[in-house]
């Protein structure tokens, strides 16, 4: 897309798509290596055989802290990623959401996947 910003009620954070440089995987590119491991895990856990071609970019989300007493900290509120109607997986739908934290916050930071009890 053309880029830009838009507001959503479900989140307060900076977000950007990160293109996976698959062409640099053999050179040891870190983003490609981590992405490959994610695909291997998802395929092992689901049995779907998802391939890299045609998948959406990785998403990088950055939360800003303004102190432990911030009344409106950056956050994600409960929301659905992809299809949330309880029906079986459909081709071209999102089947996995994985969260990796680069730094643990002093306060908050909890994540749960309520619909699956995680």
């Amino acid at each position: 897309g053309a880029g830009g910003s838009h507001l959503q009620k479900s989140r307060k954070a900076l977000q950007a798509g990160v293109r996976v440089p698959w062409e640099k995987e053999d050179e040891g590119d870190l983003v490609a290596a981590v992405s490959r491991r994610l695909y291997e895990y998802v395929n092992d856990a689901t049995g779907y055989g998802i391939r890299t071609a045609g998948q959406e970019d990785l998403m990088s989300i950055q939360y800003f802290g303004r102190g432990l007493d911030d009344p409106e900290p950056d956050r994600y509120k409960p929301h659905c990623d992809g299809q949330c109607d309880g029906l079986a997986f459909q081709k071209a739908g999102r089947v996995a959401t994985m969260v990796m934290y680069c730094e643990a916050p002093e306060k908050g930071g909890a994540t749960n996947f309520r619909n699956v009890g995680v």
Side-chain angles (χ1 to χ4, degrees), residues 63-102:
Y63 300 98
F64 286 99
R66 287 169 288 280
L68 295 177
D69 296 322
D70 184 356
E72 288 289 320
D74 288 4
R75 69 207 172 272
Y76 256 71
K77 292 181 179 178
H79 66 282
C80 280
D81 284 346
Q83 183 179 329
C84 296
D85 55 15
L87 298 175
F89 164 70
Q90 296 179 15
K91 283 189 175 186
R94 184 181 286 177
V95 298
T97 296
M98 300 186 86
V99 179
M100 294 185 295
Y101 291 92
C102 298

Side-chain angles (χ1 to χ4, degrees), residues 42-51 87-90 93-96:
V42 169
N43 285 332
D44 183 62
T46 65
Y48 288 140
I50 297 170
R51 297 185 177 139
L87 298 175
F89 164 70
Q90 296 179 15
R94 184 181 286 177
V95 298

